[in-house]
Amino acid sequence: MTARILVVDDERSMREFLQILLEQEGYQVVTADSVTHALSECTTALPDLIFADLKLPDGSGMDVLSWACEHAPDTQVIMMTAFATTENAVAAMRMGAYDYQMKPFKVDEIRELAHKALEKNVLLRENRDLKAQLRSHSGLSRIVGRSPKMREVIELIEKVAQTKTNVLIDGESGTGKELVARAIHEASDRRGNAFVAVNCGAIPEQLIESELFGHAAGAFTGANRRRAGLFKSADGGTLLLDEVGELPTTMQVKLLRALEERAIRPVGEEVELPIDVRIIASTNRDLHAMVNEGRFREDLFYRLNVVRIRVPPLRERTEDIPMLARAFVIKHGQGHGSKVVGIDGKTIRALIDYGFPGNVRELENTIERALALASGTTIGLSDLPPEIRGSSESSISSILEFPEGGIDLEEALNAIEMRFIRQAMEHSGGVKKRAAELLKLSFRSLRYRMEKLHMDGDLAKSQMDGQMDGDDEPGEQ
Ligand SMILES: Nc1ncnc2c1ncn2[C@@H]1O[C@H](COP(=O)(O)OP(=O)(O)OP(=O)(O)O)[C@@H](O)[C@H]1O
Ligand SMILES: [Mg+2]
């Protein structure tokens, strides 16, 4: 959507100057010559950014600023004046102006200022939308990301939530399996009862049975009192068996029996207790492979795997990264005293380019750490750990991104050409003839291109290497 800018100045030449300049930048511009006129434009044009002169015939630009602060908090206001006094500037900034500019201005400064102020406006708006989304109580809305793959997951959650069937969630570590399990519970009519999660890998083998099924008083040493167990705690609700692949074989048999009978028998007791629990199992292992290897019971596998939800790794849905990153800025920054409102464009690019082997959890930790390091109001590249920062600096996708201020096509194409030539040279161990083959070029053509691109260093290096392996003279023609 085109950004809308309101220019308020009683001087006609100033209005026209700013209007032409800003329209050239692609913004939609409306103008006003007084406070009254400005406020009426504010309510009809809903500007994203206002340039307001301090001195106006019927009042002050501060009146426009105070109106905006109260009624349109996302709208950024830049105050302008020919007679700057520090008091005025300080007062305007205190009231919430984005910046304070002295006339006459430099064209470049105005462009830059408008661009930055609008960036902040967009961030604030997006943050508010996200916050509203995160605040709503449904577990589904806490799942950030609407890539096609996550849409599929969400659809499955909605479908399966209506039923009583067991669900198996699998996915790499940190992909959000527990979040999905909670969302299923919260979208189901069991939401009024408990959601209980147990990490099967974290409980000592000899304690698992009593943890899950409970035990009678005196059932074993240390069992002084009767205990209900997690199945009972989750009665009427949902039990998440996390890391189900870690269950010892003896326990697998007992679990299968409980699922088939819909009843449990606490350790040391005679009678079975009926239970009504939806089981969600999750794993980051390949359970099917474990079945084939005889490490996981096949019958239990099929009991659990009635519906299977695979949570895709983050690298398969990189389009979710910007939204997730912003959601984590809100989750860990705002409200924890951080001034950071967003992440700058280059940094988002770097996050997208990085593979995130640790998936969403790693992204979340990265943002949490960057929030602690960031000194300004946005997270920048220098706030990222080197392994993430590095993946973008050389990335071709950052070249292919169309920049705000236009692009020098010739230079960009040269950069791409240079990058591929360097890579081919690396692959060929510096042997130009081989590099030319890899690039489907003739030897001469490669040499011509390298000269044209002033890749003198690379050329000299390859010639030296070439001499050593007799490659200096082209073998072709
Ligand atoms: N789509 C998402 N939207 C918002 N937050 C997410 C999303 N996916 C994961 N998270 C967050 O990432 C962190 C890890 O998620 P979760 O614990 O659900 O992953 P997991 O797959 O269970 O990991 P593990 O296999 O290590 O147990 C949590 O803080 C979770 O809130
Ligand atoms: Mg988990």
Side-chain angles (χ1 to χ4, degrees), residues 134 142-145 150 171-180 199 240 242-243 282-284 311 317 320 324 327-328 331-332 359-362 364:
L134 298 174
R142 269 190 278 121
I143 300 181
V144 177
M150 280 316 279
E172 289 176 16
S173 185
T175 45
K177 297 184 293 295
E178 182 157 349
L179 201 63
V180 168
N199 184 336
L240 169 63
D242 204 1
E243 315 290 356
S282 78
T283 177
N284 52 25
V311 189
R317 44 176 164 124
D320 288 342
L324 279 165
F328 294 140
K331 182 171 168 189
H332 299 288
N359 295 300
V360 185
R361 179 177 293 116
E362 186 184 3
E364 182 166 3

Side-chain angles (χ1 to χ4, degrees), residues 169 177-183 185 193-203 211-212 227 229-235 237-244 277-282:
I169 304 175
K177 297 184 293 295
E178 182 157 349
L179 201 63
V180 168
R182 283 180 190 276
H185 173 73
N193 296 315
F195 173 88
V196 176
V198 50
N199 184 336
C200 302
I203 304 172
E211 277 294 313
L212 290 179
R227 226 182 128 210
L230 297 172
F231 265 86
K232 202 67 202 158
S233 314
D235 208 12
T238 308
L239 179 63
L240 169 63
L241 300 172
D242 204 1
E243 315 290 356
V244 74
V277 174
R278 144 125 66 189
I279 301 293
I280 302 180
S282 78

Side-chain angles (χ1 to χ4, degrees), residues 51-69:
F51 280 92
D53 190 22
L54 194 61
K55 288 201 168 173
L56 293 167
D58 57 344
S60 151
M62 299 289 264
D63 302 331
V64 181
L65 173 61
S66 84
W67 185 92
C69 290

Side-chain angles (χ1 to χ4, degrees), residues 299-313:
D299 42 13
L300 178 59
F301 175 73
Y302 286 112
R303 253 304 143 176
L304 296 172
N305 187 29
V306 181
V307 174
R308 173 160 169 252
I309 301 182
R310 174 178 179 267
V311 189

Side-chain angles (χ1 to χ4, degrees), residues 48 103 126 174-175 179 186 232 302 332 355 409 468 477:
D48 304 302
K103 295 180 190 175
E126 284 174 349
T175 45
L179 201 63
E186 282 166 33
K232 202 67 202 158
Y302 286 112
H332 299 288
L409 184 62
M468 285 162 67
Q477 288 150 5

